[in-house]
Amino acid sequence: MAYSEKVLSHYETPRNVGSLDKESKTVGTGIVGAPECGDVMKLQIQVDEATGKITDAKFKTFGCGSAIASSSLATEWVKGRTIDEALAIKNTEIVQELSLPPVKIHCSVLAEDAIKSAIHDYQEKNGLDHDH
Amino acid sequence: MALKLPIYMDNNATTPMDPRVLEAMLPYFTEKFGNSASRNHQFGWEAEDGVKLARKQVGELIGADPKEIIWTSGSTESNNLAIKGVADMYKDKGRHIITAVHEHKATLDPCKRLAKMGYDITWLEPGADGLITAKQVAEAIRVDTILVTIMWANNELGTINELPEIGKVCKEKGVLLHTDATQAVGKIPVDVNDAGVDLLSASAHKMYGPKGAGFLYVRRRKPRVRLTPIIDGGGHERGMRSGTLNVTGIVGLGKACELCRLEMAEETARLSKMRDRMDQAILSQLEHAVINGDPKRRLPHTTNISFPYVEGESMMMAIKEVAVSSGSACTSASLEPSYVLKALGLGDEIAHSSIRFGLGRFTTDEEVDYTIDKVVTAVKKLLELSPLYEMVLEGIDITTIEWGAH
Ligand SMILES: Cc1ncc(COP(=O)(O)O)c(C=O)c1O
């Protein structure tokens, strides 16, 4: 399968690979997917409590090139956004940005899920409301 | 000499044609173009001579009489003819057939079709080493068993099943044995009499011959095997496979067999040395990497290695200059892990990231070095990216995690 330039760029030099301290109250961790499906994404966010903005994000992904690129892109996009702005990120935007073919749409869905799951974890840790 | 990229490491899928094979074939396209069934002129005789020589060359490679070779389009057709042909011919004797779950699709699917038609199929399961044993076959044989079909060597693993022992069991019990020897013929010694084989399939393109040519060996004596043909027509090939012979393909197949026979010892020594060097280099540098299937009972040129906690497609992408196969050529288009690896009892996270390296006649030491380097670098990078590996390092048993449905 031919990959788009952008997928290749993220795959070859993934942005924000790594881990944040999952025990920290200001960190939200989302782990989505399953090994038997061939995709597991871990996405973490660091939130500044004063501003409510995401100051840092890290990921690790077990998955195909498109899954790696989708999660790498997701970390780039959430950085600097507020929680609500991050929640507004749609998988279709990831599809568009990376020119993912139809068989790879599930990678973008997983990346969106990973963002939501990380935010959910942060909100739960801090007793904040969440509406999903 | 500069390395030419990409590198071909997928010789179990198909092989490049040996230039000597091409040379042998060329006159049959243009000058000696006759129909080998034309009995009354020079053109036909020349073509017939080419086919006759090829029969002899194939026979010599597998220890068969030239008359026992039925030309086909390849192993898929040969397997279909053997399995369906025996099933129909001997249906009054019984309707039980024994095969294995990790056979090639060209065996599985004919068996499944027969199952739909009312035949009873026993699906043997390999051990963790990928092997089917003679004991398993002996225990599965019943009074109504008419055919055992077990491949000689597995296409994904390179593992070599228990032949000639399986043949001996079948002989003792008086049951016909078909073997899909597509991966074995030309690579390791194959002798139909030593192995007690009654029917044997092979394809030319797996042994440096042309695509679209193959054969089915059908035993003529002790016992004389009969088959109901699938393709009816002019009665070619003792009525078992009608149609004007693919003379060029057959000439190429014959030449390919001759070269394999003459060069097997030297080629095996060379390739197994390269393959073992590759195994060792990869395994010693990557702690979690494992060889799939019995490492000893294996084809000399094949290795299948799992890279746990790394996903297969991203792995292929990381080593894109090296043409390999993850799973079998036909399954790597889908996201399903290979059914062959699952049959060994491998977990999904491991079956997802297995690569088959198929070395061949034209593989060089430089190409092996390049491949080792690419693979080690890629796996190290992907482990760095892998959340599963991180969990393992933290001491978490990932098989106990309840993963979300997706
Ligand atoms: C073990 C085995 N059987 C059968 C086949 C089918 O051969 P062909 O495609 O030449 O018909 C192959 C090749 O993929 C094979 O490896």
Side-chain angles (χ1 to χ4, degrees):
Chain A
M1 185 188 311
Y3 292 91
S4 71
E5 287 285 320
K6 280 185 178 150
V7 168
L8 284 174
S9 154
H10 278 279
Y11 173 76
E12 262 149 37
T13 41
R15 333 290 198 249
N16 308 310
V17 175
S19 297
L20 300 170
D21 176 11
K22 63 175 184 274
E23 307 303 333
S24 163
K25 266 194 86 146
T26 58
V27 169
T29 302
I31 299 180
V32 295
E36 63 262 35
C37 307
D39 298 292
V40 175
M41 285 182 191
K42 186 188 80 163
L43 191 145
Q44 294 182 301
I45 51 168
Q46 171 92 50
V47 183
D48 181 333
E49 285 172 290
T51 63
K53 277 196 175 170
I54 297 169
T55 55
D56 199 5
K58 296 274 183 212
F59 86 99
K60 286 202 175 192
T61 289
F62 165 88
C64 66
S66 302
I68 291 170
S70 296
S71 36
S72 169
L73 179 67
T75 57
E76 271 194 329
W77 277 1
V78 296
K79 272 206 224 178
R81 295 201 192 200
T82 64
I83 297 273
D84 283 341
E85 286 165 353
L87 280 173
I89 294 172
K90 290 268 162 301
N91 83 291
T92 47
E93 299 169 71
I94 296 174
V95 171
Q96 217 166 33
E97 173 69 16
L98 297 176
S99 314
L100 296 181
V103 293
K104 294 297 181 187
I105 288 178
H106 70 279
C107 299
S108 69
V109 173
L110 210 57
E112 184 189 320
D113 287 351
I115 298 173
K116 297 214 155 77
S117 167
I119 292 173
H120 182 110
D121 179 58
Y122 169 76
Q123 289 174 327
E124 246 182 17
K125 267 186 187 166
N126 292 279
L128 301 172
D129 281 350
H130 54 83
D131 48 22
H132 59 278
Chain B
M1 202 178 81
L3 207 54
K4 199 169 149 280
L5 299 176
I7 291 169
Y8 192 67
M9 283 278 171
D10 203 10
N11 285 280
N12 300 83
T14 194
T15 53
M17 227 167 60
D18 190 304
R20 295 169 290 181
V21 172
L22 177 64
E23 206 177 309
M25 290 169 69
L26 283 175
Y28 290 87
F29 285 104
T30 47
E31 301 144 41
K32 305 183 182 182
F33 61 86
N35 184 328
S36 58
S38 299
R39 297 274 180 237
N40 39 21
H41 52 67
Q42 173 82 17
F43 301 91
W45 302 330
E46 267 173 2
E48 172 62 10
D49 284 346
V51 172
K52 217 166 147 185
L53 173 63
R55 270 189 218 287
K56 183 166 160 284
Q57 289 164 323
V58 173
E60 277 172 354
L61 179 62
I62 63 165
D65 186 290
K67 293 195 200 80
E68 297 176 308
I69 306 303
I70 305 294
W71 303 116
T72 66
S73 61
S75 287
T76 301
E77 185 187 334
S78 299
N79 286 359
N80 272 271
L81 176 56
I83 296 167
K84 294 174 183 169
V86 165
D88 188 73
M89 181 59 76
Y90 297 89
K91 61 179 181 285
D92 295 333
K93 211 175 152 218
R95 300 202 173 195
H96 179 231
I97 294 172
I98 298 167
T99 187
V101 294
H102 65 325
E103 290 282 317
H104 192 273
K105 293 268 169 147
T107 293
L108 298 181
D109 287 6
C111 288
K112 282 183 194 161
R113 188 177 295 282
L114 290 172
K116 276 197 199 134
M117 291 164 62
Y119 287 81
D120 192 5
I121 315 289
T122 294
W123 303 94
L124 297 177
E125 290 182 12
D129 55 9
L131 302 178
I132 296 294
T133 65
K135 184 162 174 283
Q136 280 178 288
V137 173
E139 284 168 4
I141 291 177
R142 315 189 308 216
V143 286
D144 60 338
T145 307
I146 50 172
L147 179 70
V148 170
T149 173
I150 295 291
M151 71 203 322
W152 197 302
N154 184 276
N155 49 300
E156 277 190 44
L157 304 167
T159 46
I160 301 168
N161 285 320
E162 266 189 27
L163 283 139
E165 294 85 350
I166 292 173
K168 211 166 149 235
V169 163
C170 292
K171 279 278 153 308
E172 276 166 19
K173 308 239 181 183
V175 174
L176 295 179
L177 172 63
H178 165 248
T179 186
D180 175 354
T182 312
Q183 296 288 346
V185 169
K187 312 295 167 49
I188 56 173
V190 164
D191 186 297
V192 289
N193 292 315
D194 286 354
V197 167
D198 301 304
L199 300 121
L200 177 146
S201 305
S203 265
H205 72 97
K206 306 278 190 188
M207 43 177 156
Y208 314 97
K211 289 166 185 61
F215 67 88
L216 178 67
Y217 157 80
V218 183
R219 182 174 288 284
R220 267 164 71 94
R221 292 184 52 236
K222 295 190 201 169
R224 182 186 184 87
V225 178
R226 292 177 307 138
L227 294 175
T228 303
I230 294 175
I231 299 178
D232 296 311
H236 308 73
E237 301 300 284
R238 297 195 276 135
M240 289 195 229
R241 205 279 196 176
S242 288
T244 298
L245 295 185
N246 168 13
V247 176
T248 43
I250 290 166
V251 166
L253 169 53
K255 185 67 186 179
C257 285
E258 180 187 83
L259 295 174
C260 284
R261 181 173 61 82
L262 295 175
E263 297 175 4
M264 188 181 297
E266 185 261 331
E267 195 157 287
T268 297
R270 192 178 74 88
L271 291 180
S272 60
K273 199 167 145 211
M274 272 188 191
R275 190 272 315 270
D276 291 346
R277 186 161 72 78
M278 187 154 135
D279 275 346
Q280 260 165 23
I282 291 176
L283 264 52
S284 65
Q285 292 178 78
L286 300 170
E287 184 192 349
H288 297 277
V290 278
I291 293 175
N292 292 313
D294 190 308
K296 296 222 174 56
R297 279 193 77 100
R298 268 199 305 173
L299 295 171
H301 62 297
T302 308
T303 189
N304 185 311
I305 305 181
S306 276
F307 302 96
Y309 322 121
V310 165
E311 190 273 339
E313 209 177 307
S314 60
M315 175 76 192
M316 301 282 271
M317 199 169 159
I319 57 166
K320 61 180 184 299
E321 301 86 353
V322 184
V324 289
S325 168
S326 92
S328 83
C330 32
T331 52
S332 58
S334 75
L335 295 169
E336 283 290 297
S338 127
Y339 66 92
V340 173
L341 296 173
K342 292 195 97 169
L344 306 193
L346 291 193
D348 285 303
E349 70 285 359
I350 296 178
H352 258 297
S353 51
S354 302
I355 289 189
R356 177 186 70 187
F357 300 91
L359 282 61
R361 183 171 291 168
F362 305 105
T363 304
T364 64
D365 273 311
E366 289 72 27
E367 290 176 330
V368 170
D369 289 337
Y370 183 90
T371 302
I372 293 168
D373 184 56
K374 275 280 158 190
V375 167
V376 170
T377 311
V379 172
K380 285 189 169 160
K381 171 189 160 169
L382 291 169
L383 282 176
E384 196 60 31
L385 260 169
S386 168
L388 300 178
Y389 185 55
E390 184 180 63
M391 290 177 197
V392 170
L393 290 181
E394 286 171 5
I396 300 169
D397 179 358
I398 60 171
T399 59
T400 63
I401 296 178
E402 275 193 37
W403 298 100
H406 180 246

